[in-house]
Amino acid sequence: MRRFSISSLLTEALNGHQGWERQWRNPTPKAAYDAIIIGGGGHGLGAAYYLAKEHGLTNIAVLEKGWIGGGNAGRNTTIIRSNYLYDESAALFEHAVKLWEGLSQELNYNVMFSQRGVLMLAHNVHDVQSFKRHVYSNRLNGIDNEWMTPEEAKDFCPPLNISPDIRYPVMGAALQRRGGTARHDAVVWGYARGADALGVDIIQNCEVIAITRGPDGAVTGVETSRGSIKTKKIGVSVAGHTSMVMGMAGVRMPLESFPLQALVSEPVKPCFPCVLMSNAVHAYISQSDKGELVIGAGTDQYVSYSQQGGLHITTHTLDAICELFPQFTRMKMLRSWGGIVDVTPDRSPIVGKTPVKGLYVNCGWGTGGFKATPGSAHVFAHTIARDEPHPINAPFTLDRFRTGRLIDEAAAAAVAH
Amino acid sequence: MAQSNRLPSGGRIDRAKPLAFTFNGKSVDGFAGDTVASALLANGIRLVGRSFKYHRPRGILTHGSDEPNALLKVDRGPGRADPNNRATVIEAVGGLKLSSQNHWPSLEHDIGAVNDRLSPVLVAGFYYKTFMWPRSFWDKLYEPKIRAAAGLGVAPDVPDADRYVHRNAHCDVLVVGAGPAGLAAALAASENGRRVILADEQAEMGGSLLAERTATIDGVSAAQWVAHALTTLAGRANVTLLPRTTAFGYYNHNHVVLTERVTDHLERPDPKLPRERLWQVRPAEVVIATGAHERPLSFADNDRPGIMLAESVRTYINRYGVAPGRRIVFATNGASAYAAAADAKAAGLDVTIVDTRPESAIGPEKALAAGIEILAGHTVVGSTGGKGLTGLIVAPFTAGKGVGARRTLPCDCAGISGGWTPSVHLFSQSRGKLIFRADIDAFVPGISVQKERSAGACKGTYGLSAILAEGWAAGSGAAGADGSRLFAAAPATPTGFAPARVLPTDDDPKKVRAFLDFQNDVTAKDIRLAVREGFESVEHVKRYTTNGMASDQGKTSNMAALGLLSEILEKPIPQVGTTTFRPPYTPVTFGAIIGSARGQLFDPIRTAPLHEWAVEHGAKFENVSLWRRAWYFPKAGEDMHAAVARECKAVRESVGIFDASTLGKIEVKGPDAAEFLNRIYPNAWLKLEPGKCRYGLMLKEDGFIFDDGVVARLAPDLFHVTTTTGGAPRVLAHMEDYLQTEWPDLNVFATSTTEEWAVIALQGPKARDVLQPFVTGIDLAGEAFPHMAVRVGEICGVPTRLMRVSFTGEMGFEINVPADHARAVWEALYDYGQRFGITPYGTEAMHVLRAERGFIIVGQETDGTVTPEDLGLGGMVSKVKRDFVGKRSLARPDMALADRKQLVGLASLDGRTVLDEGAQIVADPAQAVPMTMLGHVTSSYLSPSLGHPIALALVAGGRTRMGETLHVTTPAGFTTVKVTAPVFVDPEGKRVNGVQTEGALHA
């Protein structure tokens, strides 16, 4: 792999950039692999990278039905934070943040991880109670999170409207300074390039149409749009389409898939310094390095695989944005899009083994999977390689919905009664 | 400034109405009917902006909404300034203040232009390869620098002075685009009374016909035909004409959304008018007639100010009476530019045509160029000039033989034409499938998914007669008539072009910078680099190079990149693919999308019937879901603590009055009502007698508490269900969900009556004394009307459902009265209650009182992970019922674990510290991080009744820890607490019966 650096960039600049090589190959699928990852998003490519790098499994392939990073990896609003309430979630997301902090260097690919701080607004007494609960819990878990008065929040995020006259005045905020954003495409490409350099075959335009199993029930391979491939280990990392792919192996998943929308404004000079989230009014906003305001909306109310949501959801989100930032009504929406998110009953992911031998699943990240990418990929690789979960993902079993040991982050963020 | 480039005659501008605006502080003259772009050109201004990355000088490329370069800040006065407006679509209005963007210190002298010198380094994706060392520099140095360099204009920093509105509309046929196809479609569709809406993004309807010099339709000039069509349409009552209205989004179920610019074109708009109006239209059928976009040609330095699209040159001359230059070279690979050249010639300008096609490939369009020098078989290899074009460098080119000797054609304007791209955006947004037509080198609408049809250039039909006929047929078909009509248009429209990707050159391709995406500064080299690095999918190329991601969303660049990609990969375009078109078609203001949903209209405020009384009596309010509730009633000089303490004391010692009207109320009625509640709630309902109330915890399917409330049985088939304030809508939805999907056999109706009944709570030892004089038909005596009874009667002469219930621990009544009578009843009770010191109290006192008594609040003591057993209310879960919602989940092994978090009380050992709600609890505060947490504080108050702090908490295995010492986080470290029972006042529950418990209360 040709290393990226300022010197290689300058050398190539003199050479008209003729010397750069492919960031990943375009291989023909082999007849068999030691393991296959289905899904070429950040989680899947990352898992392949760590399988090769940390577990020595290099005869593996990532199968992607379209182009890598074309699903939720390329459609999210790139928010990264680890200030989750429950110990299990906090450990998982903090594992990811720690990996994010060194990811550009690890991959030799600038993923632009920007720790500009994530500010979460409280708008009612219930929010205040809930956020303080998070702050206290996070601190005892060794995760930075601090409570702020409305005035402190405005100091940190000057565009914020903290007037008591707005419909839901800001009553305070929780700030995780180590939170921030990253360049989503770069994460995908960086993992792809890193995995490819370690020998992983990244096979695009290769849709899995069946999972084959032997007499003992264990997986034996996949049928794809590019032929049959044998393998004894399959990691499924396909977000919104998990139910469909797992259904190929006869596993029914406790998941629902919803459209989730986002939009960007036209690019403007820096006007928004941090990431700001308001669960109470459904507003999520940051400004990309290119200058676009990146705004996330809520999910549609109905399950769907259509990557297009209704305008009313976007409207509701912009209502909230303009209530908090009335100066933005003259800004313009440049582009809007949707993705399909897979949601579990307790809004926490499922990362682990399945009832089918050799079949592993990483799914259920709902609206917040991007932030977990390196952590999720890392523990998923461990699970596939060792056939047992890493201690961090051990609680995130499929089985918990049977036993009742839920990790209910949705409940933790419950709205006021 | 003099209009040096205004032609002496012609154009659709109104020369009797001069106007002036400023550009970068200098006055610019124009006429009504000008766009800002046409006026700038008339004043001889070519340099209008700097590009995003390299800060290259840029001019006006187009004449419409596809403009990538000429983006300006518009200032219409205080609170009315915004960035990134396309000069080509801003209507010229007297007094506008316009300025260019993305430069420092000035447009002419821009330090940022150093980036252009660095362009060999700043190639596509360069930032992924560097800025990684040392690590800490990214946040502190690299990223702030990159962010400051990026962006275009400056975001507004003051609230908007304008307002925006929404409008919903239905029609039979929505026609998008009022060019020849759209006008014909609207005429046909509206012939027989169908309701038609015709929308066009421009100020004047007519589309390309407005720029026709010689064309005739059915024997009249194009302009006359347009005028006649518009008069006809305006005369039909069933037609709505919406100029200045862009259809920007095509959503599911034929939901098309339009934005109408209402006042931006007015110098002194009526202040009553909104700035923009968003139209949400649900047409039965849609005719898409959105035309086509011209493609630029790609060659070295094809971005200099003065280079514009050939059709734009034609439009500025014919429609606006402006000469974009005096010496114009048209460079083209097709026929349409010949019409532009002919019109420029007719306007008296010096014209040359450079055609990349060999002489033999030039068709009948050649006749249009009589008297014009044509350099056939020539390529363009560059341009000259700094901040304005001075010449085009051309050379003969023959396939197989290469590029010949160069010559520079001096010119101050170049009209370039690389062919045409149908505007399939709306069709694609409707999820229709595009197909590729190699004969016109373009994607056109294929299989429709929604009820729409395309007509004219947006479908790849370019001849005017054919466009009109197609438009008519589409309009007629959309109206269900399937009629047809022929139109005689003359002369024949010159059509056809030979696709050209990057024009041939003999320069070192590594050095040639041929721009594809003008705004984002993406060159052909960048596309080649992306492919070299393995980005082969068109979406990858787009994301890696940012081609097509600028504010024009690739209208002039997508096909160029796709064509080049196809050439590099040696695959036909359909195999390379196309990117998805997403809303909006052109950028839409946030204001238009949100409409009037600002401030109080952001979310409706719900207020109970007694709200005004509370306002008049000085209440402070809090938001609870949509409701605004009285929080506390401070007297002069009181803070919240003092007010709440006084209110609590009054309830414990005498009587308090409280507005409980926001509690949700659902009337459950029907022969199966009891059976229904028996399934919805975990406790038993079948045997509850009419006249009695029962407290119910509602579970979700997961077994966790979801809502609670008292239910009164009024008759065998009638229950009055109450819910939490915030939970009312979801409880009703939950009930309906089960009634409609799981138990459709049950004969039950659930109806919200929250607004129907106001609820006045009288609580305290004197409650009955206050109530007694006003009630008729109900015996209030203790034995006749015990705790948890309900009676129907009258109070103050109006009907009441009177419940004897208590959320304070004191003797209590909840008086349901029809909402309209609430204030009269309240005031009667309040006046009479003065003799007992009756005290209105708010939600805060209510919270304190219930916590003292150990009553939970759903959402505070519960968070969606709490079972009845966790709260010590396991007895409320029937062991004998066959089924109820949540039963199966409660049987899961984890639900019975001894270390589940259980509700307990906490007493601060120092007797003073009021714990933070949300504080975490540990056994050992000295342990290492991450610590083992046992639970958290759910409620915490300074108890006015007891004179010391009280707290409720959920603690792992809490009920086995009574008396244990634990440690609770505070902002300043840990404080020590003792675990107690979660009841602090009247543990035996005697006070609801009016028994005064001694000793339990602080003196």
Side-chain angles (χ1 to χ4, degrees):
Chain A
M1 180 176 88
R2 173 91 183 269
R3 280 191 67 78
F4 291 159
S5 69
I6 186 67
S7 66
S8 65
L9 183 65
L10 291 174
T11 307
E12 281 303 322
L14 296 173
N15 181 32
H17 297 276
Q18 301 296 308
W20 294 116
E21 56 196 31
R22 292 184 68 102
Q23 296 193 5
W24 56 87
R25 294 163 295 123
N26 183 14
T28 307
K30 293 190 220 166
Y33 289 97
D34 293 341
I36 280 175
I37 304 288
I38 306 176
H43 289 242
L45 290 162
Y49 172 80
Y50 292 115
L51 274 171
K53 173 112 188 302
E54 300 199 353
H55 303 281
L57 252 70
T58 55
N59 180 33
I60 63 177
V62 177
L63 308 185
E64 165 55 49
K65 78 170 173 182
W67 38 281
I68 60 169
N72 293 347
R75 294 166 187 267
N76 63 83
T77 52
T78 81
I79 298 174
I80 294 167
R81 61 186 178 89
S82 63
N83 53 353
Y84 280 72
L85 180 64
Y86 292 110
D87 302 347
E88 299 89 339
S89 326
L92 178 58
F93 289 100
E94 180 63 13
H95 184 53
V97 167
K98 291 210 169 103
L99 289 170
W100 277 116
E101 285 172 334
L103 197 61
S104 292
Q105 289 71 28
E106 163 82 22
L107 297 177
N108 180 235
Y109 209 103
N110 190 351
V111 301
M112 303 183 187
F113 179 45
S114 167
Q115 291 181 294
R116 56 182 74 173
V118 175
L119 192 65
M120 302 172 77
L121 301 181
H123 297 277
N124 53 51
V125 173
H126 182 273
D127 281 353
V128 173
Q129 294 163 346
S130 169
F131 285 14
K132 286 192 172 175
R133 185 179 171 197
H134 280 72
V135 168
Y136 281 124
S137 172
N138 290 155
R139 291 189 150 198
L140 297 192
N141 270 323
I143 292 167
D144 79 298
N145 197 5
E146 57 199 272
W147 174 252
M148 287 188 148
T149 64
E151 293 71 27
E152 289 167 334
K154 185 165 176 69
D155 279 348
F156 191 76
C157 181
L160 179 63
N161 181 4
I162 57 167
S163 157
D165 301 331
I166 65 174
R167 178 66 179 89
Y168 298 110
V170 176
M171 295 178 71
L175 170 66
Q176 185 176 28
R177 293 184 191 269
R178 287 165 64 241
T181 59
R183 175 86 183 97
H184 53 10
D185 291 330
V187 179
V188 171
W189 301 335
Y191 272 126
R193 174 167 165 266
D196 176 89
L198 293 166
V200 176
D201 280 357
I202 295 163
I203 302 165
Q204 303 185 81
N205 300 308
C206 180
E207 183 173 3
V208 171
I209 45 186
I211 292 173
T212 53
R213 296 168 65 181
D216 62 345
V219 301
T220 56
V222 291
E223 298 293 332
T224 78
S225 56
R226 296 177 68 174
S228 309
I229 306 174
K230 291 202 183 324
T231 189
K232 287 184 175 162
K233 290 189 174 197
I234 298 174
V236 176
S237 191
V238 296
H241 289 79
T242 302
S243 300
M244 294 155 89
V245 173
M246 292 298 285
M248 295 174 191
V251 181
R252 218 175 142 215
M253 299 297 291
L255 294 170
E256 290 181 307
S257 289
F258 296 89
L260 176 70
Q261 298 184 69
L263 64 101
V264 295
S265 74
E266 294 182 318
V268 287
K269 293 293 177 193
C271 66
F272 204 88
C274 60
V275 179
L276 183 134
M277 306 174 60
S278 171
N279 292 333
V281 297
H282 294 302
Y284 312 92
I285 179 170
S286 65
Q287 188 178 16
S288 72
D289 284 349
K290 198 180 170 202
E292 298 158 330
L293 295 176
V294 181
I295 295 170
T299 55
D300 274 32
Q301 282 169 305
Y302 298 99
V303 293
S304 168
Y305 287 115
S306 153
Q307 285 176 326
Q308 183 185 37
L311 180 69
H312 61 288
I313 300 285
T314 313
T315 302
H316 180 68
T317 295
L318 286 175
D319 288 352
I321 292 291
C322 294
E323 181 70 1
L324 294 171
F325 308 101
Q327 64 273 35
F328 288 160
T329 53
R330 295 180 90 91
M331 293 287 289
K332 300 186 208 87
M333 173 168 87
L334 173 59
R335 187 166 66 243
S336 66
W337 64 91
I340 302 301
V341 297
D342 48 323
V343 175
T344 63
D346 67 359
R347 301 302 193 266
S348 285
I350 300 166
V351 186
K353 298 172 70 169
T354 71
V356 175
K357 188 168 162 30
L359 184 67
Y360 309 86
V361 70
N362 175 10
C363 66
W365 292 92
T367 60
F370 176 72
K371 66 175 76 69
T373 303
S376 151
H378 187 253
V379 297
F380 192 42
H382 179 107
T383 308
I384 295 169
R386 310 264 183 101
D387 194 36
E388 63 180 30
H390 186 284
I392 287 176
N393 67 310
F396 293 88
T397 59
L398 180 54
D399 204 38
R400 70 180 188 272
F401 302 101
R402 198 182 56 74
T403 66
R405 186 161 281 280
L406 305 182
I407 306 159
D408 204 330
E409 291 291 339
V415 290
H417 287 66
Chain B
M1 200 175 270
Q3 299 191 49
S4 54
N5 281 7
R6 185 72 71 181
L7 293 166
S9 63
R12 304 180 65 82
I13 45 162
D14 186 346
R15 292 173 195 252
K17 291 186 185 159
L19 54 85
F21 57 85
T22 65
F23 173 64
N24 287 345
K26 288 184 208 130
S27 182
V28 174
D29 293 333
F31 294 113
D34 263 326
T35 62
V36 164
S38 68
L40 288 170
L41 289 169
N43 286 256
I45 297 171
R46 290 188 293 174
L47 173 64
V48 296
R50 293 277 175 168
S51 64
F52 189 86
K53 187 154 111 180
Y54 300 134
H55 290 245
R56 300 213 2 142
R58 289 284 165 78
I60 293 160
L61 181 70
T62 73
H63 62 284
S65 60
D66 48 350
E67 176 63 34
N69 281 340
L71 300 181
L72 305 179
K73 176 186 174 186
V74 180
D75 185 347
R76 300 173 193 275
R80 294 195 163 90
D82 43 74
N84 300 343
N85 295 282
R86 287 149 292 165
T88 49
V89 301
I90 314 166
E91 291 178 56
V93 180
L96 281 186
K97 282 190 260 180
L98 302 157
S99 41
S100 51
Q101 307 182 143
N102 204 34
H103 47 65
W104 187 86
S106 72
L107 175 61
E108 287 75 21
H109 306 284
D110 178 14
I111 299 290
V114 68
N115 285 359
D116 202 33
R117 301 289 169 91
L118 295 174
S119 67
V121 181
L122 309 184
V123 292
F126 76 96
Y127 29 73
Y128 300 125
K129 294 173 176 150
T130 182
F131 302 132
M132 289 182 272
W133 304 271
R135 200 164 110 180
S136 63
F137 275 34
W138 173 253
D139 279 324
K140 293 192 181 65
L141 177 69
Y142 300 136
E143 188 181 45
K145 292 282 180 205
I146 290 172
R147 292 189 71 178
L152 280 169
V154 176
D157 59 0
V158 293
D160 198 334
D162 283 315
R163 62 189 193 87
Y164 305 79
V165 297
H166 282 187
R167 188 125 158 204
N168 285 279
H170 292 261
C171 63
D172 296 306
V173 182
L174 168 68
V175 181
V176 181
L183 286 171
L187 286 168
S190 62
E191 264 194 326
N192 295 314
R194 299 278 182 182
R195 292 168 305 159
V196 173
I197 294 176
L198 173 62
D200 190 276
E201 65 177 346
Q202 297 200 33
E204 193 177 2
M205 290 188 164
S208 61
L209 295 178
L210 302 177
E212 289 291 349
R213 181 175 58 92
T214 57
T216 61
I217 300 169
D218 293 343
V220 301
S221 74
Q224 286 171 315
W225 187 86
V226 169
H228 181 69
L230 288 173
T231 306
T232 305
L233 289 168
R236 289 180 181 166
N238 53 319
V239 176
T240 304
L241 297 176
L242 294 178
R244 300 186 175 90
T245 303
T246 305
F248 69 81
Y250 201 135
Y251 297 87
N252 291 331
H253 312 293
N254 247 27
H255 176 209
V256 186
V257 187
L258 289 54
T259 176
E260 178 187 7
R261 296 175 299 283
V262 181
T263 60
D264 273 358
H265 64 289
L266 302 173
E267 192 168 338
R268 272 177 293 277
D270 183 338
K272 289 201 286 287
L273 288 175
R275 180 181 181 219
E276 293 174 15
R277 189 178 285 132
L278 189 89
W279 290 76
Q280 307 218 39
V281 185
R282 284 152 175 100
E285 295 275 348
V286 179
V287 176
I288 301 173
T290 46
H293 291 120
E294 194 168 16
R295 302 176 192 174
L297 284 172
S298 306
F299 55 87
D301 300 323
N302 58 341
D303 64 330
R304 293 195 200 283
I307 297 180
M308 65 172 66
L309 295 172
E311 188 68 13
S312 300
V313 174
R314 180 169 182 240
T315 301
Y316 286 117
I317 293 170
N318 290 345
R319 180 166 170 188
Y320 297 103
V322 171
R326 295 288 161 183
R327 294 185 74 171
I328 305 179
V329 175
F330 286 92
T332 183
N333 61 353
S336 65
Y338 283 73
D343 291 352
K345 172 93 177 159
L349 305 174
D350 185 351
V351 179
T352 308
I353 295 176
V354 176
D355 198 324
T356 62
R357 300 173 297 175
E359 181 82 36
S360 58
I362 301 175
E365 61 269 19
K366 195 170 179 182
L368 293 168
I372 299 175
E373 182 189 9
I374 301 173
L375 302 175
H378 271 61
T379 181
V380 185
V381 295
S383 70
T384 60
K387 289 160 193 160
L389 181 72
T390 57
L392 222 48
I393 308 169
V394 303
F397 171 77
T398 317
K401 286 193 195 161
V403 177
R406 299 172 169 223
R407 62 189 268 213
T408 299
L409 303 175
C411 56
D412 55 357
C413 176
I416 57 176
S417 178
W420 292 86
T421 306
S423 175
V424 294
H425 301 70
L426 285 180
F427 172 78
S428 177
Q429 285 181 26
S430 81
R431 310 186 83 76
K433 200 165 165 49
L434 296 169
I435 51 172
F436 187 75
R437 267 180 61 188
D439 60 325
I440 58 168
D441 190 50
F443 285 98
V444 294
I447 301 158
S448 287
V449 172
Q450 303 205 44
K451 294 197 167 175
E452 49 68 40
R453 58 196 80 203
S454 295
C458 71
K459 199 183 176 185
T461 302
Y462 296 134
L464 184 52
S465 300
I467 287 171
L468 290 160
E470 200 168 276
W472 183 275
S476 179
D482 285 329
S484 66
R485 219 192 107 176
L486 292 178
F487 292 83
T493 315
T495 63
F497 63 94
R501 306 309 171 199
V502 180
L503 295 186
T505 180
D506 51 358
D507 277 329
D508 179 355
K510 288 187 284 191
K511 301 215 169 115
V512 170
R513 294 165 74 200
F515 288 87
L516 306 182
D517 185 319
F518 287 71
Q519 189 181 122
N520 274 353
D521 282 333
V522 181
T523 65
K525 274 198 305 188
D526 290 318
I527 306 288
R528 292 199 179 94
L529 172 61
V531 175
R532 192 174 307 131
E533 294 195 82
F535 297 88
E536 293 172 349
S537 148
V538 63
E539 283 287 351
H540 278 160
V541 171
K542 174 178 152 185
R543 285 160 181 264
Y544 192 65
T545 64
T546 72
N547 190 83
M549 299 187 82
S551 67
D552 58 299
Q553 290 287 287
K555 292 187 181 67
T556 53
S557 61
N558 278 345
M559 271 312 289
L562 188 57
L564 179 57
L565 190 58
S566 135
E567 197 171 88
I568 300 167
L569 296 174
E570 298 176 345
K571 281 188 199 169
I573 284 179
Q575 283 182 33
V576 177
T578 179
T579 57
T580 313
F581 294 93
R582 300 194 175 96
Y585 173 66
T586 52
V588 180
T589 58
F590 289 0
I593 294 170
I594 70 173
S596 52
R598 290 287 318 284
Q600 304 301 306
L601 295 178
F602 165 59
D603 241 2
I605 295 176
R606 294 183 82 180
T607 54
L610 295 160
H611 182 78
E612 285 308 313
W613 189 93
V615 172
E616 290 159 22
H617 287 75
K620 298 288 181 194
F621 293 89
E622 70 164 335
N623 287 313
V624 181
S625 64
L626 290 176
W627 294 94
R628 194 147 280 176
R629 301 191 73 183
W631 198 3
Y632 56 100
F633 290 82
K635 290 191 169 173
E638 278 185 339
D639 63 4
M640 177 161 151
H641 267 297
V644 169
R646 176 178 49 73
E647 291 169 17
C648 289
K649 191 164 182 290
V651 173
R652 292 275 180 243
E653 294 179 358
S654 179
V655 60
I657 187 167
F658 175 74
D659 179 7
S661 304
T662 65
L663 285 184
K665 290 164 284 278
I666 299 169
E667 190 110 329
V668 175
K669 188 168 166 58
D672 297 322
E675 173 62 23
F676 172 62
L677 294 185
N678 214 41
R679 296 184 194 181
I680 280 281
Y681 286 100
N683 49 346
W685 295 89
L686 297 178
K687 291 179 184 160
L688 181 69
E689 292 167 24
K692 286 196 170 169
C693 300
R694 182 166 287 169
Y695 173 66
L697 284 171
M698 197 175 283
L699 310 183
K700 279 199 299 185
E701 219 168 26
D702 59 12
F704 298 121
I705 294 167
F706 155 69
D707 207 84
D708 71 343
V710 169
V711 179
R713 189 169 199 174
L714 297 167
D717 66 344
L718 177 62
F719 291 83
H720 177 111
V721 174
T722 68
T723 74
T724 59
T725 294
R730 55 179 176 264
V731 170
L732 183 63
H734 176 77
M735 287 182 168
E736 283 293 345
D737 191 8
Y738 278 94
L739 280 175
Q740 292 177 28
T741 65
E742 300 292 327
W743 311 316
D745 53 309
L746 292 187
N747 190 355
V748 180
F749 293 90
T751 308
S752 169
T753 53
T754 304
E755 308 271 347
E756 204 83 26
W757 297 105
V759 184
I760 301 165
L762 274 182
Q763 302 273 311
K766 302 292 182 198
R768 181 158 44 205
D769 299 329
V770 175
L771 185 59
Q772 188 74 62
F774 301 99
V775 176
T776 49
I778 303 172
D779 181 354
L780 296 184
E783 57 283 7
F785 189 30
H787 185 56
M788 296 302 272
V790 59
R791 299 287 181 267
V792 174
E794 286 195 346
I795 183 165
C796 303
V798 302
T800 181
R801 289 176 178 179
L802 184 62
M803 299 179 195
R804 176 123 181 245
V805 291
S806 170
F807 195 44
T808 59
E810 300 301 321
M811 177 196 286
F813 298 88
E814 290 191 356
I815 308 153
N816 289 268
V817 290
D820 288 348
H821 299 286
R823 179 144 182 170
V825 174
W826 175 285
E827 286 182 337
L829 294 168
Y830 184 70
D831 288 347
Y832 182 72
Q834 293 303 318
R835 67 197 65 196
F836 302 102
I838 193 168
T839 301
Y841 65 100
T843 51
E844 187 65 18
M846 179 266 281
H847 281 185
V848 175
L849 291 162
R850 65 87 208 176
E852 289 178 337
R853 181 61 186 79
F855 292 145
I856 63 135
I857 287 185
V858 169
Q860 192 159 344
E861 271 62 55
T862 73
D863 61 3
T865 67
V866 177
T867 67
E869 179 66 26
D870 296 341
L871 297 178
L873 298 174
M876 291 183 63
V877 179
S878 167
K879 307 276 187 294
V880 296
K881 283 204 289 186
R882 194 176 59 81
D883 199 9
F884 57 83
V885 175
K887 181 177 170 81
R888 194 178 67 151
S889 293
L890 287 177
R892 292 180 296 186
D894 195 68
M895 299 302 199
L897 295 182
D899 70 343
R900 285 190 64 82
K901 290 176 183 165
Q902 295 166 339
L903 186 69
V904 296
L906 298 179
S908 298
L909 281 192
D910 65 6
R912 290 191 316 272
T913 304
V914 180
L915 303 174
D916 253 359
E917 287 168 344
Q920 295 288 322
I921 302 161
V922 300
D924 172 14
Q927 65 185 303
V929 167
M931 293 193 182
T932 302
M933 288 170 257
L934 298 176
H936 75 286
V937 176
T938 60
S939 293
S940 172
Y941 311 94
L942 180 63
S943 163
S945 307
L946 301 171
H948 61 72
I950 58 168
L952 297 172
L954 286 165
V955 175
R959 286 198 288 275
T960 65
R961 294 179 185 268
M962 289 301 146
E964 262 185 46
T965 299
L966 297 175
H967 303 272
V968 178
T969 56
T970 74
F974 286 94
T975 190
T976 312
V977 298
K978 194 175 80 174
V979 180
T980 72
V983 185
F984 306 94
V985 163
D986 186 24
E988 291 168 347
K990 292 179 177 168
R991 297 180 66 89
V992 290
N993 293 319
V995 177
Q996 296 302 295
T997 50
E998 293 301 324
L1001 296 181
H1002 186 69

